[in-house]
Amino acid sequence: MIGWFNKRFGTSIEQRNYGALYAGFSLLLFLTTLWAVYNEVDGRRPWKEYQADFRELKVQVLLNKRRELKGKLSKDELKRTDSLLEIYDEQLHGKKLAGYQSQIDDLAMTIRKTSQKRANLKSEADNRNYMFEHSSREQEPEAATKYKGQRTDLEHRMADLDKTLDSLDKIRAKLLADHITPIASKKKALESHRDSLYGAVADLEKKIDEADAMPLQIQQVMLNDFDRTNFGKLQMRADRCQSCHMGITDPVFADTSIFNDIGKGRHLFRTKDEAAHARKVFGPHPHPEMLKSHNIERFGCTPCHGGQPMSVDAVDHAHGLESHWERPLLTGAYVQGACRKCHEGDYTFAMADKVSEGRKLFIDFGCFGCHEGPSIPDWKEYKVGPSLMNIGKKISPEWAYKWIQNPQSWNEHTRMPNFKLNDDQTKAVVAYLFDATKSSQYAPVSASAPAGDAARGAVTLKEVGCFACHAVDEFEPRGKFKFLPTTDKKLLWPNGVQDGNRIAEGNNFGPDLNKIGSKVDAAWLFDWVKNPKHFNPSSRMPILRLTDGEAADITAYLMGKKDPSFLASPPSLGSLKDTNLIKKGASIIREYGCFGCHQIPGMENEGKVSVSLADFGTKTAADLYFGYLGEEQLHNTRDHFDKGPYKLGKVYMHLEDGEDWFVWTALKMKNSRVFQTDAIAQKMPVFNMTDEEAYAMTVALRSYTKSYIPASFRDPLGQYQPAVNDGHFLTHWNNCVGCHKIQGSGGFVLENLRTLMGIKGDDINPYGPPNLNTAGAKIQEPWFYNFLRNPASTPVRTWLKIRMPTYAFTPSEISRLDKFFLGLEGQSLQFTDYSYYPATEQTLAAGQQLWEKLKCQQCHAAGSTPSLGGATAVPAPNLALAGGRLKPEWIIRWISDPQVVAPGTKMPNFFGTLQEPSAADPTILGGDWKAQISALRDYVWRIGGVKGMGSSSTQADSSSMHPAAAPAVQAAGSAKPADSAAKKTAMRTVPGKKLAMR
Amino acid sequence: MHGKLTALDYLLAQIEKPDNVPALLLLTLAAFYIWHSWRRSRINDSRSTPMEAEMADKVQVWPYLVRVEFLTSIVVLIILTVWAITINAPLEEPANPALTPNPSKAPWYFLGLQELLVYFDPWIAGVMLPTLIIMGLIAIPYIDINPKGNGYYTIKERPFAQATFAFGFLVLWVVLIVMGTFFRGPGWNIFTPWEAWDPHRVVPLNNVDLPALVGVPTLNVDNTYNPLSIMIGAALILVFYSIGYFVWKKKQGTPFFKALGPIRYGVTAFLTLSMTGVVIKILLRLLLNVKYVLATPFFNI
């Protein structure tokens, strides 16, 4: 090299030869250009390869289907047709017709040539015509005459050619008609016969051709009005995900069994890995039902899944897995966080368990008592912990001391966290609490509890359903913990790693009663079970309307449940009257924000003690502080979660050192003091979360972002959404879902009832609290109000031993609940007169016939007439209540298909199903099922007393039978566009009697 | 499993950053040309006539120069194409008015100027110094009266020009760019290229003004400026610039200074001293934590 340079610079400039250098570098430039072209066309377009693979796979799948279909066809018929077709084919191309064929072909060639000649003449003539017109305009008569002559001459020649063409055509047509067409048309007919034989096969072949011809091109969904830039300007988003994931909505790929076709030879995939990869890339959406409500053409992919919508140049880029892309593909349950972006107030997502869990835990652990967050209840009104206003009259200072110091040592399931206070701090807090409540006026109704029978108490306790909210005896807490092995106990879990959750639902709701005897005294407990509101008016525990005897029995039984070990070595607290100690206690309470969860006397005007979490999900590692934790511990944490079912999300920015949002948050949840350093004290208490809880919290917290989602993409229930969100909170807050199924979830007590009564499956339904599905459409508003004010006033299921307690709801709370149930049905709260509902004598008679025929009375009582009973009978509500309790439209819906309204109900389907309705009896009302259902409703409606006569419009009623087909009727009270029709039907149904307040 | 990231990983990550490629190229090319000119100068300086003088035969621009230029353009095209294919544009996250990237780095060629912002107030680092640089470059042909070195490499015959180039370009310009590119991380704190950028790094912020170093605080207790401090600062700067005067005083008799004349000398001395002053201030900051030499209510130097 150096030699070459020396030699080169040794020769004079004029004598240096540049030929080789130019040739070499020009070649290099050429190759580089080729490289650039390849890079542009192929290298940066890997989706082309995916599309080619997809095309090949699709064609293969369709070919397999075709083979399968063909296998089912009649072979003989096909054979016969095929051989006939062959014969026709041979005839058409055989020697006999060869002469005619060549004649026809020659003619065709002559015709083509002549036509061409004529076309040339035409264009010449057009030109002369133009020249003629032009010359005329230019006042050049001579030229005009010349051109006109030429034009006329050309036109004559064209007319001659036309004649020739005409005759040629005729000859050709005759030849064809005489010799070729008879056979050709037979062939065509046979072919269409063959196609009809094939039918589906022909369709498939069309599809195969289409699939085969699919061009390789970017597939994108444009979201015009979804995005905004960071500067708030509207921005178009183009989701190109389907450029590779082509099978997401392709019906051919909807059947995932094709991905099991693995093996050698005639199989789609050779290895399992290949099939798994194909499924990952080309498979359908794992939740097709999700796409039904979230149309992909409207919502695209990345609003939920994240990723880099426009990028198609590499898999990682498209998935946004690169530094600087802020919204990488969400993995595992983290995609659920996206639900919250649009459905901000929802609690329960049917297809997003983890984010629902995290949202509930955020409430149940009382996070909102210290932190602001999205869609949280008012912390001044709703406090997760019990009120401490009278605490001095309930427990001993020693018990309080031990409890505050380590709540888990009394009850490992408690949601009360450990504040890690030292002995002096704990003592100070106890001193403050007992000092502040020393002037409390509370005293139990009787100074000592009346004597009760513990054995009877045990029975009553279970009969009235205490286990719906409390863990007691064999009814262990719902979501019971499961111990798992851990790598780093000290870091991740001060007391060992556990699985399970403590959402305040079912019997996780109230405290565990198994040691209650060692906590409180009998007089207090008797007063409490009689009326919890006496001791604590804001208690969430309802009144169970126990008699003195029942209360005494239960008290006696519960007081026997003791665990003396907790106070085996009671702390010696000394004097708690020291004012300095009390002051210190007050300052500790203020510092740690105990009033976030408890009502504490003297602390009514404090503010939240910690930071807002409203956009916590957008924080990066740079915003979080990792204290003393090093790479190894952080990696251990990630490994710990990733090994189990709770895989943490990944962050592609700031990946160094293992410091990322997910690890930080998961660790904080598991062990909230873990990032404490000498300089930075941390006051968040240790919640002892299980892995499941910590994971659910990270999912929910990750979704806490401020995003600009346009209203048109949010709140599917429109104007009802706020009321529904509020109701979801209220029914969770009061554990309504512990007993009742609402919107398909809840009803946890049924499991315990099954154990208690030894009844299996759905057979328990008549003996448990009712399913509240469609309650808004079902229950008349006044009845709803009266029932919730005092459930004992109008008992419906009189045979139930488990009690609907008295919640002491305020009228405003009851309207919130009613608005919730109505909102779920797309209705708003309005005053309606249900007392009058018209019917004719004829329909009432038919209704009575049906009532007898269908033996309704086997299960249902009718006023004072008891139910007849029988081997298959189950208890059912007295139908005398129907007229004053149920909405007439709902009864129709119910009778039409009870299983749709309350899945698992014991009420039989007398009129088929919604999809396939049928008459219960062909002889009544001419076998018209619509009229029959309506008549039966009219009859049942009047069992409790005459409700009015008049002409009923069966047409209007029948349309309300099918809510899917006629949503307008369901939304009679709503302001949806389809309302005018609904109003009309409503007016017809109750002429002049509907008192609607709009 | 996660491997522990080593110093080499961090170093490689810095080198692989598309942003840093041009700065690396600058380093390589600067090193090559320095070496090349130094080598040729040494040869020339040891001879009576420079090598270039022996290549007395002149050749025509066409075709002898143009063919080389054209070849060069082909080579540059190849390099640019390969660069464009292999290294992607260094895009970052979409602009966000609520979130400033940390560190916020200028394009590589401005990082030297950005680095100056550490040591000087913006009006000096961002306005005065760049203006001086441009004015100085414009002034060079008018203040340089040394006819030697035209068309050949030499150090011996142009010691002042060579020293100024080495100091002004290599020390001030290149080193500052390297500093800003490879040695500054989050919070514009100093990081070596082989360590992780810890956004939480805390560095002591205990810079003091130069007069305070010798016990004269900048501010009085009532937060007014201490006149003594201002006087010391001003005096120091005056003394520094008066070096030019003393040199003139001593050397004005020599033929070279006579030929130069007082105006050309004045401009040269001012520019040279200002350039040196910048480096002195940088060293004062880095070694002695000096915030300002002169702090007044109106401006700070």
Side-chain angles (χ1 to χ4, degrees):
Chain A
M1 186 84 176
I2 291 171
W4 181 83
F5 270 108
N6 285 340
K7 199 177 152 200
R8 191 167 176 80
F9 291 113
T11 38
S12 69
I13 290 173
E14 291 94 327
Q15 282 168 1
R16 284 181 203 161
N17 190 346
Y18 279 82
L21 275 177
Y22 265 99
F25 281 115
S26 300
L27 183 69
L28 210 56
L29 180 61
F30 178 68
L31 292 177
T32 321
T33 313
L34 283 187
W35 184 15
V37 170
Y38 163 78
N39 186 257
E40 182 59 29
V41 175
D42 209 77
R44 286 176 187 262
R45 286 171 162 71
W47 53 271
K48 282 187 175 172
E49 204 175 310
Y50 281 99
Q51 291 201 350
D53 285 355
F54 177 81
R55 184 165 63 187
E56 199 189 318
L57 183 62
K58 186 170 176 180
V59 169
Q60 267 316 312
V61 171
L62 290 170
L63 282 173
N64 284 357
K65 272 196 183 163
R66 191 184 67 162
R67 196 185 319 131
E68 209 175 288
L69 269 178
K70 268 175 127 178
K72 288 180 194 153
L73 293 175
S74 152
K75 289 231 169 75
D76 295 342
E77 178 78 4
L78 277 179
K79 227 179 191 175
R80 199 180 61 80
T81 330
D82 280 348
S83 62
L84 256 177
L85 274 174
E86 224 165 87
I87 292 168
Y88 288 138
D89 232 25
E90 268 171 30
Q91 282 183 355
L92 279 174
H93 298 104
K95 272 182 193 164
K96 205 173 150 194
L97 293 177
Y100 296 118
Q101 277 291 10
S102 68
Q103 249 180 326
I104 289 167
D105 289 349
D106 289 350
L107 271 171
M109 184 47 83
T110 319
I111 288 170
R112 187 188 289 176
K113 282 178 181 163
T114 319
S115 303
Q116 186 58 50
K117 216 183 264 173
R118 190 195 174 283
N120 292 347
L121 289 177
K122 171 89 170 66
S123 102
E124 291 276 333
D126 287 349
N127 170 262
R128 296 305 181 279
N129 186 44
Y130 163 75
M131 297 304 282
F132 160 63
E133 284 172 359
H134 181 73
S135 317
S136 306
R137 262 203 305 281
E138 299 287 320
Q139 308 293 333
E140 292 167 2
E142 274 174 45
T145 325
K146 185 183 98 190
Y147 288 127
K148 194 177 182 187
Q150 285 179 359
R151 191 191 75 187
T152 323
D153 179 43
L154 283 164
E155 277 167 0
H156 286 313
R157 284 164 65 192
M158 274 158 66
D160 288 348
L161 281 183
D162 281 345
K163 267 180 216 157
T164 321
L165 273 175
D166 203 33
S167 64
L168 283 174
D169 271 342
K170 271 181 191 153
I171 299 169
R172 183 167 166 271
K174 192 167 179 348
L175 274 174
L176 271 172
D178 287 355
H179 307 287
I180 309 292
T181 317
I183 302 173
S185 62
K186 271 189 205 164
K187 187 189 164 198
K188 208 173 173 188
L190 199 62
E191 272 174 347
S192 72
H193 169 66
R194 189 168 167 274
D195 283 353
S196 72
L197 271 184
Y198 275 84
V201 177
D203 283 351
L204 260 179
E205 270 166 359
K206 211 173 135 195
K207 274 190 200 158
I208 292 171
D209 289 346
E210 278 170 12
D212 208 23
M214 181 191 86
L216 305 186
Q217 58 191 19
I218 298 250
Q219 305 289 328
Q220 62 185 14
V221 177
M222 300 298 297
L223 302 174
N224 295 322
D225 51 349
F226 182 78
D227 247 353
R228 276 169 191 279
T229 66
N230 290 325
F231 294 86
K233 290 265 184 327
L234 206 60
Q235 188 185 32
M236 198 182 265
R237 185 188 281 207
D239 272 5
R240 293 177 169 172
C241 313
Q242 292 179 86
S243 296
C244 293
H245 299 288
M246 302 195 79
I248 288 292
T249 52
D250 194 323
V252 175
F253 287 75
D255 172 17
T256 51
S257 66
I258 56 170
F259 296 108
N260 299 330
D261 187 13
I262 304 165
K264 280 191 179 132
R266 267 194 162 183
H267 290 281
L268 289 172
F269 308 102
R270 251 154 293 139
T271 63
K272 261 189 182 173
D273 289 348
E274 205 183 300
H277 178 72
R279 178 164 188 169
K280 212 168 149 189
V281 183
F282 301 134
H285 195 279
H287 301 288
E289 66 275 21
M290 179 76 91
L291 294 187
K292 273 184 199 148
S293 47
H294 299 76
N295 180 4
I296 214 165
E297 293 301 319
R298 166 117 176 89
F299 291 92
C301 310
T302 57
C304 298
H305 289 276
Q308 200 172 178
M310 300 267 274
S311 176
V312 282
D313 68 335
V315 174
D316 278 356
H317 294 178
H319 291 172
L321 311 184
E322 55 177 332
S323 49
H324 302 302
W325 188 251
E326 291 159 324
R327 298 187 298 259
L329 191 72
L330 294 164
T331 53
Y334 289 97
V335 72
Q336 297 176 3
C339 304
R340 253 212 68 252
K341 286 203 277 188
C342 301
H343 311 277
E344 196 189 304
D346 276 9
Y347 271 73
T348 317
F349 299 101
M351 280 176 273
D353 54 340
K354 283 289 169 283
V355 74
S356 315
E357 203 175 290
R359 290 269 293 145
K360 287 177 190 169
L361 286 172
F362 195 80
I363 303 290
D364 295 340
F365 277 124
C367 308
F368 67 100
C370 295
H371 300 281
E372 280 301 334
S375 307
I376 50 167
D378 176 7
W379 74 297
K380 293 270 183 192
E381 188 176 348
Y382 296 100
K383 297 201 184 277
V384 285
S387 160
L388 304 183
M389 298 306 269
N390 296 324
I391 193 66
K393 309 281 171 174
K394 179 181 174 185
I395 50 173
S396 69
E398 286 77 17
W399 195 91
Y401 177 91
K402 292 276 286 190
W403 166 259
I404 293 169
Q405 220 170 32
N406 187 358
Q408 272 74 26
S409 67
W410 169 259
N411 170 13
E412 66 173 11
H413 291 99
T414 185
R415 286 179 291 271
M416 164 92 176
N418 188 336
F419 283 83
K420 304 264 172 189
L421 300 180
N422 64 28
D423 293 355
D424 289 344
Q425 288 172 315
T426 318
K427 200 172 139 185
V429 170
V430 174
Y432 177 83
L433 290 177
F434 280 77
D435 178 68
T437 56
K438 66 174 184 255
S439 55
S440 148
Q441 298 299 310
Y442 170 81
V445 277
S446 50
S448 60
D453 179 347
R456 224 162 43 208
V459 176
T460 316
L461 180 90
K462 279 160 200 171
E463 273 179 2
V464 298
C466 299
F467 52 71
C469 294
H470 296 279
V472 61
D473 295 340
E474 72 265 38
F475 303 108
E476 288 175 335
R478 193 183 130 67
K480 192 170 161 49
F481 299 163
K482 200 165 69 195
F483 283 83
L484 294 173
T486 174
T487 43
D488 192 342
K489 275 187 185 165
K490 213 173 152 218
L491 179 72
L492 291 166
W493 179 255
N495 310 323
V497 176
Q498 300 168 315
D499 207 11
N501 72 65
R502 286 170 283 173
I503 295 175
E505 275 173 351
N507 66 1
N508 264 359
F509 182 74
D512 190 325
L513 297 182
N514 284 316
K515 301 175 183 174
I516 187 76
S518 294
K519 180 180 174 184
V520 295
D521 63 49
W524 183 89
L525 188 59
F526 175 77
D527 183 36
W528 175 259
V529 295
K530 271 287 286 179
N531 179 9
K533 313 284 178 192
H534 182 216
F535 176 75
N536 173 9
S538 65
S539 172
R540 284 191 265 172
M541 165 126 167
I543 301 160
L544 275 144
R545 302 184 301 275
L546 298 173
T547 62
D548 281 358
E550 284 171 333
D553 291 346
I554 288 178
T555 305
Y557 176 68
L558 286 179
M559 284 311 291
K561 301 177 92 50
K562 285 188 198 292
D563 177 13
S565 67
F566 186 62
L567 280 179
S569 53
S572 54
L573 298 179
S575 168
L576 294 173
K577 311 270 187 232
D578 179 8
T579 33
N580 281 334
L581 193 66
I582 293 166
K583 260 190 199 158
K584 189 182 165 194
S587 80
I588 292 169
I589 288 175
R590 286 204 177 88
E591 199 179 332
Y592 287 89
C594 307
F595 39 78
C597 295
H598 299 282
Q599 239 182 312
I600 295 176
M603 298 283 173
E604 288 82 0
N605 299 317
E606 304 292 332
K608 290 192 180 184
V609 293
S610 196
V611 296
S612 165
L613 298 178
D615 56 355
F616 182 75
T618 56
K619 289 202 184 308
T620 64
D623 304 320
L624 305 169
Y625 190 63
F626 287 81
Y628 295 139
L629 294 196
E631 251 173 285
E632 199 188 336
Q633 287 151 308
L634 298 177
H635 285 157
N636 281 349
T637 306
R638 182 166 274 285
D639 289 342
H640 166 79
F641 278 93
D642 285 357
K643 265 183 221 154
Y646 310 118
K647 292 187 173 47
L648 295 180
K650 289 209 170 74
V651 174
Y652 291 82
M653 299 159 85
H654 315 290
L655 201 60
E656 50 261 19
D657 274 359
E659 292 185 359
D660 66 57
W661 186 96
F662 295 97
V663 167
W664 192 91
T665 311
L667 258 176
K668 184 82 181 172
M669 295 298 108
K670 296 282 304 178
N671 184 355
S672 54
R673 299 278 173 87
V674 75
F675 304 117
Q676 183 157 316
T677 66
D678 289 347
I680 298 176
Q682 295 198 314
K683 288 171 193 159
M684 175 159 155
V686 178
F687 283 86
N688 284 358
M689 285 197 199
T690 63
D691 283 3
E692 183 183 328
E693 287 168 342
Y695 181 70
M697 287 300 294
T698 66
V699 172
L701 284 170
R702 188 69 178 165
S703 73
Y704 285 11
T705 59
K706 283 178 185 156
S707 47
Y708 314 89
I709 309 278
S712 56
F713 285 88
R714 303 164 56 168
D715 298 346
L717 289 174
Q719 54 167 315
Y720 307 111
Q721 195 70 55
V724 170
N725 295 342
D726 180 43
H728 275 307
F729 164 69
L730 274 181
T731 50
H732 177 71
W733 185 256
N734 291 298
N735 202 21
C736 306
V737 288
C739 292
H740 299 282
K741 261 196 178 155
I742 298 176
Q743 287 287 288
S745 78
F748 307 115
V749 77
L750 292 176
E751 196 50 54
N752 293 337
L753 277 177
R754 284 189 191 105
T755 320
L756 189 70
M757 300 177 73
I759 298 176
K760 279 178 190 153
D762 284 340
D763 290 345
I764 195 69
N765 287 343
Y767 304 100
N771 188 330
L772 295 189
N773 216 354
T774 72
K778 172 182 182 181
I779 304 291
Q780 296 177 10
E781 291 80 0
W783 194 89
F784 183 87
Y785 179 84
N786 289 327
F787 182 75
L788 279 188
R789 286 297 274 180
N790 181 9
S793 62
T794 44
V796 180
R797 292 170 175 77
T798 44
W799 63 93
L800 288 187
K801 287 193 169 151
I802 188 165
R803 284 182 199 175
M804 167 76 185
T806 306
Y807 273 88
F809 283 131
T810 63
S812 120
E813 280 171 324
I814 297 177
S815 14
R816 279 162 69 191
L817 281 169
D818 204 15
K819 280 179 191 162
F820 163 62
F821 285 114
L822 287 163
L824 285 174
E825 299 297 314
Q827 298 177 16
S828 50
L829 187 59
Q830 62 177 11
F831 297 101
T832 310
D833 185 357
Y834 291 104
S835 62
Y836 177 89
Y837 208 83
T840 61
E841 294 286 1
Q842 186 208 355
T843 55
L844 286 178
Q848 187 169 14
Q849 257 180 299
L850 282 162
W851 166 268
E852 277 149 19
K853 180 107 193 167
L854 300 177
K855 298 192 180 124
C856 304
Q857 220 169 338
Q858 210 171 350
C859 301
H860 290 285
S864 51
T865 324
S867 61
L868 301 172
T872 56
V874 293
N878 188 328
L879 287 178
L881 289 168
R885 173 169 168 257
L886 303 177
K887 295 188 182 174
E889 296 86 357
W890 181 85
I891 304 180
I892 300 256
R893 201 166 144 191
W894 171 248
I895 303 174
S896 300
D897 195 340
Q899 287 302 329
V900 167
V901 175
T905 179
K906 288 294 164 206
M907 167 92 175
N909 280 30
F910 291 113
F911 295 91
T913 61
L914 276 190
Q915 286 74 32
E916 285 178 39
S918 58
D921 187 310
T923 59
I924 299 170
L925 290 171
D928 178 353
W929 54 271
K930 283 188 198 175
Q932 285 184 6
I933 293 173
S934 179
L936 185 55
R937 187 271 314 270
D938 289 350
Y939 179 77
V940 167
W941 178 255
R942 283 164 181 76
I943 289 176
V946 176
K947 296 276 179 183
M949 290 285 188
S951 70
S952 159
S953 164
T954 45
Q955 193 195 347
D957 293 346
S958 59
S959 62
S960 65
M961 261 176 263
H962 293 279
V969 173
Q970 288 310 314
S974 77
K976 285 186 181 160
D979 242 0
S980 56
K983 271 183 209 158
K984 266 182 217 154
T985 51
M987 293 303 285
R988 263 210 312 274
T989 320
V990 191
K993 276 290 182 179
K994 194 164 171 91
L995 307 173
M997 303 270 289
R998 287 180 198 276
Chain B
M1 294 302 287
H2 318 271
K4 200 173 152 70
L5 291 174
T6 62
L8 187 66
D9 292 325
Y10 291 116
L11 186 64
L12 285 175
Q14 281 297 328
I15 291 173
E16 283 164 4
K17 261 190 197 164
D19 283 304
N20 294 351
V21 173
L24 282 170
L25 223 72
L26 167 84
L27 273 185
T28 324
L29 289 177
F32 172 75
Y33 284 114
I34 298 298
W35 168 78
H36 180 68
S37 62
W38 176 78
R39 193 180 59 99
R40 295 285 286 266
S41 303
R42 260 188 43 157
I43 297 171
N44 284 347
D45 290 348
S46 62
R47 303 157 57 123
S48 51
T49 49
M51 289 161 73
E52 287 83 355
E54 284 170 8
M55 303 187 220
D57 283 352
K58 290 186 175 158
V59 292
Q60 301 287 339
V61 166
W62 173 266
Y64 303 111
L65 175 63
V66 174
R67 64 182 184 183
V68 181
E69 286 177 347
F70 193 68
L71 187 66
T72 313
S73 71
I74 291 178
V75 173
V76 169
L77 204 54
I78 292 171
I79 292 171
L80 286 180
T81 313
V82 173
W83 190 344
I85 293 171
T86 50
I87 299 177
N88 286 329
L91 299 180
E92 295 187 6
E93 45 281 76
N96 187 347
L99 203 69
T100 314
N102 186 14
S104 296
K105 286 199 176 187
W108 65 275
Y109 41 85
F110 275 147
L111 279 176
L113 277 181
Q114 195 180 347
E115 178 66 18
L116 280 181
L117 281 167
V118 175
Y119 310 103
F120 294 97
D121 280 5
W123 70 274
I124 301 182
V127 182
M128 211 182 81
L129 290 178
T131 314
L132 270 185
I133 291 170
I134 292 165
M135 303 291 278
L137 288 172
I138 293 172
I140 285 174
Y142 304 101
I143 54 180
D144 180 14
I145 55 164
N146 184 355
K148 294 193 179 132
N150 243 339
Y152 58 93
Y153 293 96
T154 174
I155 293 175
K156 209 162 76 180
E157 294 174 4
R158 297 178 61 82
F160 181 72
Q162 292 283 7
T164 310
F165 172 78
F167 189 73
F169 180 71
L170 295 183
V171 175
L172 252 180
W173 202 237
V174 177
V175 169
L176 282 182
I177 285 181
V178 168
M179 182 93 176
T181 309
F182 296 104
F183 288 84
R184 291 290 186 180
W188 210 255
N189 288 326
I190 294 181
F191 289 81
T192 58
W194 50 87
E195 69 182 332
W197 281 5
D198 181 357
H200 301 296
R201 171 172 287 190
V202 176
V203 293
L205 297 170
N206 46 10
N207 295 335
V208 289
D209 296 332
L210 191 58
L213 267 188
V214 293
V216 181
T218 312
L219 295 176
N220 295 319
V221 272
D222 58 356
N223 277 346
T224 53
Y225 277 79
N226 182 355
L228 191 59
S229 160
I230 295 178
M231 280 193 281
I232 293 176
L236 280 173
I237 288 170
L238 269 177
V239 167
F240 177 67
Y241 276 98
S242 66
I243 292 173
Y245 173 75
F246 290 117
V247 170
W248 175 254
K249 195 90 177 152
K250 201 173 169 192
K251 296 261 189 164
Q252 59 179 326
T254 60
F256 178 77
F257 274 68
K258 270 197 174 141
L260 197 60
I263 294 178
R264 273 199 288 247
Y265 171 77
V267 174
T268 312
F270 172 70
L271 290 174
T272 315
L273 282 169
S274 300
M275 188 168 76
T276 322
V278 168
V279 176
I280 290 173
K281 173 77 198 286
I282 291 174
L283 291 176
L284 281 174
R285 167 66 60 83
L286 292 179
L287 301 176
L288 295 174
N289 289 325
V290 168
K291 193 174 180 193
Y292 296 121
V293 175
L294 167 63
T296 72
F298 317 105
F299 64 92
N300 308 299
I301 292 173

